[in-house]
Amino acid sequence: MPSKTTLKDLANLAGVSVSTVSKALNDSPEIGARTRQRIKDIAESCNYVPNNIARSLKSRSTKTIGVIIPAILIEFFNKVLYGIEQEATERGYKIVICLSNESSRKEAESINTFINGSVDGVILSVAEETQKSKVYDHFEKSAKHNMPMVMFDRVLDDITCDKVTVDDFEGAFNAVKFLSDLGSKNILFLNPISNTSVGQHREDGYVKAVSGLNQEPNIVNVSHYTEIEKALSTVFNNQKIDAILAADEYSAALAQNAARLNNLKIPQDLSVIGFTNGMVAEYANPSLTVVSQHAENIGKIAAGILLDRIEGKLRAEPVNKVVKTKIVERNSTKNI
Amino acid sequence: MPSKTTLKDLANLAGVSVSTVSKALNDSPEIGARTRQRIKDIAESCNYVPNNIARSLKSRSTKTIGVIIPAILIEFFNKVLYGIEQEATERGYKIVICLSNESSRKEAESINTFINGSVDGVILSVAEETQKSKVYDHFEKSAKHNMPMVMFDRVLDDITCDKVTVDDFEGAFNAVKFLSDLGSKNILFLNPISNTSVGQHREDGYVKAVSGLNQEPNIVNVSHYTEIEKALSTVFNNQKIDAILAADEYSAALAQNAARLNNLKIPQDLSVIGFTNGMVAEYANPSLTVVSQHAENIGKIAAGILLDRIEGKLRAEPVNKVVKTKIVERNSTKNI
DNA sequence: GTGAAAGCGCTAACAG
DNA sequence: CTGTTAGCGCTTTCAC
């Protein structure tokens, strides 16, 4: 605990009252120019820094927002976090982060950490366990406390609050269309996250698009990345497919590796598109064409909404922002 | 600002004094069991949550630590952050993060944000600009305020505080030895971070090791990842090299791609080792052999030291922990 | 122009 | 056992 000089100390040194010092440092016009400067000099020489905790107590605002994400090592969340940080910093707010690690218990604990006045609002993406169990007590509690809250990506329909989501359905739909326009006629969907709402929306978009093209949906669900190589090799040996849409970037990279093992050239023999525009996609060989969710942007938008809400710039009804995806073209798809 | 019920509200409801309520809720033995329970029930029914800001003001402890990292999208820092979060959470602390984005100005601003009592201590890795400019005013200031501080990875010799560093010198040294044992005779060092202390240590280790093998140091410094492809192509055309040690994983991945463009087979014609054990290394093709710095562990260690310091468990002199590296072998180096 | 006093919400020594 | 009081550091009326 840093030993701090306080207003009282300065008041003693200057031979004036605490309130005079406070006003002087805050450039109140009430204080004479000469006294003001004198006090400022003393403060300077003492390395005075006003105590933020005391200020927060007085002002009932912490200029801090809480962020709860399921994991920080997943690049998507990391990028969202980056976006949040940028927007927050720009608007003079700090961020404190908690990780739920996909657990409802940790998520609830984090909400409790935030509900006690230490932040002005919360941004979060719901933990997988919570989505499955459908136990939302902690969110109801925070809503009861009037805590400004925005959910992103993984949101809860049953909870009333501001939300920012990605149009995963359309993203997958457009990716199929993109592949089809390139001439692909047998497009496979590789899904390692079929048990999340997000994975499901992507599958739905794929099915819809492929049906529109009079192709049969061809879906490979895997529950682990390690299964991909074997699963795809089987496919390559028995069917002729000319494109793969993968539900995330890791599976897309692994699909490329599997293809190479089976002597398929990318993109000549096989086009590959993944979801999520991250490092792995960028540094893969060939570099991956992906459906970008604009992760960073999602973070900025979510933070923007939250801060607007905190600062009373929004009307009562919750805002519901849907972010469109975009295809980032690289070398894993033919360039025509 | 969530409208909160306070101790006063509860006191009114229960018809007792504020301090009685406080003691009851804190299970003070001074309060009779019946009153205590009655008060707790009332608190419960009001969804009472004690105000943390007020508590912090009183206790002069925020149970929060500040983290300043140069970037969050660099996986190494992200992993360290993860380690910090784990240790902090386990010991009952929250973390608030600021990004310096490698800028001295933002770094100083972050220090200022923290110095005002909003955190109990700080963990940081120095911004590139600060390392170049050697302007350390903000750190001296925070030291003057007795702010507990631990630097990790990129540290400043001139500042007295706890430090956690990686044995980058030895890491590079061992990597060269590893390559040499595999039969490599012309090992090139690719360095995109030559202006950081870390990049310099790695280079030193490389030079030392290579000299011991009676090879001439062969160093390619680049200031941008985009330069790598051209720089290496020139090298491949004019020299015969059979191994590359890259100072991070991204440059290692790009080196592989450059090699492939020049019709070099990995690992048959060329072995590649990178620094940092991240996603890109794991999903590269071929997967990259790397020097792991145990990023997550560094975070845990740094947080552990900081919390020990905050809680007064450490003697005055600064601790200086050096973390050893380890080679993680994958497919970019020959398997003999 | 400057200062006294109240109060943000909580804790804790000290009375009763 | 319960209440009174003071105070953490700051801001802000309201007197003087």
Side-chain angles (χ1 to χ4, degrees):
Chain A
M1 62 202 78
S3 69
K4 306 271 297 300
T5 48
T6 69
L7 282 190
K8 200 155 90 180
D9 300 332
L10 298 179
N12 287 149
L13 286 171
V16 297
S17 80
V18 174
S19 57
T20 304
V21 177
S22 171
K23 286 171 189 161
L25 295 179
N26 290 319
D27 286 320
S28 160
E30 286 183 41
I31 305 297
R34 239 191 11 263
T35 346
R36 191 192 311 175
Q37 193 51 52
R38 195 168 63 83
I39 291 176
K40 282 194 175 181
D41 290 343
I42 296 178
E44 174 75 37
S45 74
C46 291
N47 288 304
Y48 173 74
V49 183
N51 182 316
N52 208 24
I53 300 288
R55 273 196 171 155
S56 292
L57 181 59
K58 188 96 241 246
S59 67
R60 289 119 161 300
S61 134
T62 60
K63 289 283 184 181
T64 304
I65 65 184
V67 179
I68 307 173
I69 50 179
I72 196 174
L73 295 182
I74 293 177
E75 204 181 344
F76 171 73
F77 289 117
N78 194 18
K79 283 187 163 177
V80 173
L81 188 58
Y82 182 56
I84 294 174
E85 199 275 346
Q86 282 180 79
E87 182 72 16
T89 300
E90 188 160 317
R91 293 178 64 167
Y93 282 72
K94 303 186 290 283
I95 69 176
V96 13
I97 71 166
C98 285
L99 309 184
S100 69
N101 287 324
E102 307 287 13
S103 124
S104 287
R105 191 183 50 71
K106 279 213 68 183
E107 189 172 71
E109 282 174 14
S110 305
I111 286 283
N112 280 328
T113 318
F114 289 150
I115 222 172
N116 61 19
S118 36
V119 301
D120 296 344
V122 176
I123 297 179
L124 65 98
S125 190
V126 180
E128 197 176 325
E129 195 191 339
T130 307
Q131 276 200 318
K132 260 192 280 189
S133 70
K134 295 186 197 299
V135 177
Y136 308 145
D137 301 10
H138 45 307
F139 293 128
E140 277 154 9
K141 184 168 159 195
S142 80
K144 213 175 298 172
H145 278 256
N146 298 316
M147 173 72 85
M149 181 163 78
V150 9
M151 295 185 176
F152 72 88
D153 198 50
R154 304 195 201 149
V155 305
L156 261 22
D157 292 337
D158 296 348
I159 301 289
T160 305
C161 66
D162 298 320
K163 285 163 194 164
V164 181
T165 49
V166 177
D167 197 339
D168 286 299
F169 180 93
E170 193 191 78
F173 188 93
N174 288 345
V176 169
K177 195 156 167 305
F178 180 90
L179 288 167
S180 160
D181 288 348
L182 251 37
S184 299
K185 301 215 172 326
N186 298 282
I187 305 169
L188 179 139
F189 185 64
L190 175 61
N191 195 355
I193 51 169
S194 56
N195 49 356
T196 70
S197 55
V198 168
Q200 211 49 56
H201 292 152
R202 290 175 190 170
E203 182 174 318
D204 293 347
Y206 161 82
V207 170
K208 175 81 179 295
V210 131
S211 307
L213 297 168
N214 290 319
Q215 294 179 24
E216 276 300 303
N218 188 356
I219 298 174
V220 173
N221 287 322
V222 293
S223 48
H224 242 275
Y225 290 112
T226 46
E227 300 168 13
I228 290 179
E229 191 174 305
K230 206 172 353 152
L232 287 187
S233 292
T234 309
V235 171
F236 292 141
N237 286 331
N238 298 302
Q239 310 170 29
K240 74 176 210 310
I241 65 161
D242 52 15
I244 293 179
L245 173 59
D248 70 2
E249 62 173 340
Y250 307 125
S251 55
L254 293 172
Q256 286 196 332
N257 295 351
R260 209 187 321 263
L261 281 178
N262 285 272
N263 297 315
L264 293 171
K265 287 225 176 316
I266 298 172
Q268 297 84 347
D269 306 331
L270 183 76
S271 288
V272 178
I273 294 186
F275 259 86
T276 300
N277 187 21
M279 292 283 186
V280 168
E282 196 175 335
Y283 287 88
N285 191 282
S287 57
L288 273 164
T289 295
V290 294
V291 179
S292 165
Q293 308 124 292
H294 308 287
E296 206 176 304
N297 209 28
I298 291 175
K300 280 192 193 172
I301 292 171
I305 293 173
L306 182 68
L307 295 183
D308 284 349
R309 170 79 55 204
I310 289 172
E311 295 170 356
K313 296 182 186 160
L314 260 27
R315 6 167 85 245
E317 64 266 27
V319 346
N320 222 310
K321 171 90 183 167
V322 177
V323 176
K324 294 293 177 187
T325 60
K326 190 186 71 181
I327 289 181
V328 175
E329 198 172 350
R330 297 211 183 85
N331 300 319
S332 65
T333 46
K334 277 175 279 229
N335 191 348
I336 50 173
Chain B
M1 64 203 76
S3 70
K4 306 271 297 301
T5 48
T6 70
L7 283 190
K8 200 156 93 180
D9 299 334
L10 298 181
N12 287 149
L13 285 172
V16 296
S17 79
V18 175
S19 61
T20 303
V21 177
S22 171
K23 286 171 191 160
L25 294 180
N26 290 317
D27 285 321
S28 159
E30 286 183 42
I31 305 297
R34 237 189 14 261
T35 347
R36 189 191 313 175
Q37 193 49 53
R38 193 168 63 84
I39 292 175
K40 282 195 174 180
D41 289 344
I42 296 178
E44 175 74 37
S45 74
C46 291
N47 287 307
Y48 172 74
V49 182
N51 182 317
N52 209 25
I53 301 287
R55 271 195 173 157
S56 291
L57 181 59
K58 185 97 237 239
S59 66
R60 290 121 159 301
S61 134
T62 60
K63 288 285 183 178
T64 304
I65 65 184
V67 179
I68 307 174
I69 51 180
I72 198 174
L73 295 182
I74 293 178
E75 204 182 343
F76 169 74
F77 290 116
N78 194 18
K79 283 187 165 178
V80 173
L81 189 57
Y82 182 55
I84 294 174
E85 200 274 346
Q86 282 180 78
E87 182 72 16
T89 300
E90 187 159 319
R91 293 176 63 167
Y93 281 73
K94 304 184 289 282
I95 68 177
V96 14
I97 71 166
C98 285
L99 309 183
S100 69
N101 286 325
E102 306 288 10
S103 127
S104 288
R105 191 183 50 72
K106 279 214 67 186
E107 189 172 71
E109 283 174 14
S110 305
I111 286 283
N112 280 328
T113 320
F114 288 151
I115 222 173
N116 60 20
S118 38
V119 301
D120 296 345
V122 175
I123 297 178
L124 66 98
S125 192
V126 180
E128 195 176 325
E129 196 190 339
T130 307
Q131 281 204 316
K132 257 195 280 191
S133 69
K134 295 187 197 298
V135 178
Y136 308 145
D137 302 10
H138 46 305
F139 293 129
E140 277 153 8
K141 184 168 158 198
S142 80
K144 214 176 296 172
H145 277 257
N146 298 315
M147 174 71 86
M149 181 162 79
V150 8
M151 295 185 175
F152 72 88
D153 196 50
R154 303 195 202 151
V155 304
L156 261 21
D157 292 338
D158 298 348
I159 300 289
T160 306
C161 67
D162 298 320
K163 284 160 194 168
V164 180
T165 49
V166 176
D167 197 339
D168 286 298
F169 180 92
E170 192 190 80
F173 188 93
N174 289 344
V176 170
K177 196 158 166 302
F178 180 90
L179 288 167
S180 159
D181 288 348
L182 251 39
S184 300
K185 300 213 172 329
N186 299 283
I187 305 169
L188 179 140
F189 185 63
L190 174 61
N191 195 356
I193 52 170
S194 58
N195 46 6
T196 68
S197 57
V198 167
Q200 212 48 59
H201 292 152
R202 290 175 190 170
E203 182 173 319
D204 294 347
Y206 160 83
V207 170
K208 174 82 180 296
V210 132
S211 306
L213 297 168
N214 290 318
Q215 293 180 22
E216 277 300 302
N218 188 356
I219 299 175
V220 173
N221 287 323
V222 293
S223 48
H224 242 274
Y225 290 112
T226 45
E227 300 169 13
I228 289 179
E229 191 173 304
K230 204 170 358 151
L232 287 187
S233 291
T234 310
V235 170
F236 291 141
N237 286 330
N238 297 302
Q239 311 170 27
K240 73 175 216 305
I241 65 160
D242 52 15
I244 293 179
L245 174 59
D248 70 0
E249 63 174 338
Y250 308 125
S251 55
L254 293 172
Q256 286 196 335
N257 294 351
R260 208 189 318 264
L261 281 179
N262 285 270
N263 297 313
L264 293 170
K265 287 228 174 316
I266 298 172
Q268 296 84 347
D269 305 331
L270 184 77
S271 289
V272 178
I273 295 186
F275 259 84
T276 299
N277 187 23
M279 292 283 187
V280 168
E282 198 176 333
Y283 286 88
N285 190 284
S287 57
L288 272 165
T289 295
V290 294
V291 179
S292 165
Q293 309 123 290
H294 308 288
E296 205 176 306
N297 208 30
I298 291 174
K300 280 191 194 173
I301 292 172
I305 293 174
L306 182 67
L307 296 183
D308 284 348
R309 173 116 286 151
I310 289 171
E311 295 170 357
K313 295 184 186 159
L314 260 27
R315 5 164 88 244
E317 65 265 26
V319 346
N320 222 309
K321 172 88 185 171
V322 178
V323 176
K324 294 293 178 186
T325 61
K326 192 185 69 181
I327 289 181
V328 176
E329 197 172 352
R330 297 211 182 84
N331 299 321
S332 65
T333 47
K334 279 176 277 233
N335 190 349
I336 53 173

